[in-house]
Amino acid sequence: MTLFETTRRGEVTVRDLSKSFTLNGQRLNVLRNLQLDVQSGEALAIVGPSGCGKTTLLRVLAGLESPDKGEVLIDGHPVQGVGTERAIIFQEPRLLPWLTVLGNVAFGLQVRGKPRESAEARARHYISLVGLAEFESAFPRQLSGGMAQRVGIARALTVQPEILLLDEPLGALDAMTKLTMQEELSRIWREEKVTMILVTHDLEEAIYLADRVLVLPKEKGDIPRLIDVSLPRPRDRSHARFVEMRRSLMAEFGLN
């Protein structure tokens, strides 16, 4: 339960979604007739080889790209551009260097017209949630990569989205920081009960964080697959079922 109550929904419906780009004068089909349903509060990971359309799908869900055909619905309403019910976190946190941690996290609320005092009160809550209460006066140049990404997560959560979209948010971190941040993301998702859709190249990360994994194929004639991750939380990476699921997912990409 959060300190700031909202009506959380965040159901995503994708119907017959197709998206293509023109590259070197040729039409490149990235997504074709995709069907997808994401339930409220679900954690979905999207994996697949480079060029399969992972980030393109996330950008369409965010309203940053328009599909060629088909539709995306949020709680039954068509997506038409960006919306306050969705927040996106990129691999780079993209913090404003002239603002402190508190200023960066409160920025989105103040832009929306929320008074500074109440914006900073809410920002402090989420700064504490991501474990940076002692760093609210620090500037981005004084933060490690993992800390900066925590600020980005806090900033996204402060506007209280129904849906949190993450595009390789931990891809630039070192191995130990990445594991810590995976645990933090899992904890935050459980506490906030927000719908989370995560693009990642890390198959173990997908299993650790997601309820289901959407596997997008490289070959356009192949059909995307949804894999249920029926493992208890918090997840144990050394558990036999976890190891077997990781091995099975790696086999999808010929990595075994």
Side-chain angles (χ1 to χ4, degrees):
M1 183 76 65
T2 66
L3 295 182
F4 308 96
E5 286 299 322
T6 59
T7 301
R8 294 297 177 87
R9 295 182 293 170
E11 291 188 350
V12 179
T13 305
V14 176
R15 290 290 175 264
D16 299 316
L17 179 68
S18 295
K19 180 67 178 176
S20 61
F21 298 98
T22 300
L23 182 64
N24 298 326
Q26 294 186 331
R27 200 70 171 168
L28 178 66
N29 294 312
V30 180
L31 299 169
R32 180 178 294 173
N33 300 323
L34 179 67
Q35 316 285 342
L36 178 66
D37 292 288
V38 184
Q39 300 302 310
S40 174
E42 181 179 0
L44 176 78
I46 304 172
V47 303
S50 296
C52 71
K54 299 185 299 295
T55 294
T56 298
L57 174 56
L58 202 73
R59 289 178 63 84
V60 171
L61 296 178
L64 299 173
E65 300 275 359
S66 299
D68 296 341
K69 76 177 189 72
E71 63 180 353
V72 176
L73 307 175
I74 304 295
D75 299 323
H77 302 290
V79 168
Q80 297 177 331
V82 297
T84 56
E85 77 283 353
R86 286 157 284 150
I88 187 165
I89 298 172
F90 297 99
Q91 186 174 113
E92 298 296 331
R94 303 183 184 183
L95 304 180
L96 300 176
W98 60 88
L99 293 180
T100 63
V101 167
L102 179 61
N104 268 282
V105 176
F107 182 76
L109 292 175
Q110 291 180 280
V111 166
R112 288 168 169 81
K114 198 162 188 69
R116 179 175 176 177
E117 185 175 338
S118 56
E120 290 186 349
R122 186 184 292 180
R124 285 190 173 94
H125 167 68
Y126 286 103
I127 291 169
S128 178
L129 182 71
V130 300
L132 292 177
E134 297 179 1
F135 294 89
E136 67 176 46
S137 297
F139 287 90
R141 66 180 180 274
Q142 298 172 308
L143 305 176
S144 68
M147 292 167 72
Q149 196 60 287
R150 287 173 188 248
V151 176
I153 293 169
R155 180 177 58 189
L157 291 172
T158 297
V159 298
Q160 296 187 293
E162 297 175 8
I163 301 165
L164 191 61
L165 305 168
L166 304 102
D167 188 9
E168 290 279 350
L170 311 182
L173 303 180
D174 65 83
M176 292 303 296
T177 303
K178 189 174 187 179
L179 290 176
T180 300
M181 286 299 298
Q182 286 171 1
E183 293 176 2
E184 286 297 295
L185 267 180
S186 181
R187 177 185 63 80
I188 291 167
W189 168 75
R190 291 195 306 270
E191 291 185 14
E192 292 297 296
K193 297 181 171 41
V194 65
T195 304
M196 184 170 72
I197 302 177
L198 165 78
V199 165
T200 180
H201 280 96
D202 187 329
L203 302 182
E204 181 174 292
E205 179 173 279
I207 298 168
Y208 187 79
L209 291 174
D211 296 314
R212 291 187 299 163
V213 178
L214 174 65
V215 181
L216 294 180
K218 177 69 171 179
E219 300 299 327
K220 299 309 174 188
D222 293 341
I223 299 173
R225 294 188 58 226
L226 272 169
I227 300 172
D228 288 317
V229 185
S230 54
L231 299 173
R233 295 181 185 271
R235 300 214 162 129
D236 179 357
R237 300 170 198 268
S238 65
H239 192 282
R241 288 174 60 199
F242 189 103
V243 173
E244 178 55 37
M245 182 158 285
R246 180 179 58 200
R247 183 181 297 116
S248 176
L249 190 54
M250 290 177 68
E252 293 272 338
F253 303 103
L255 298 176
N256 276 3

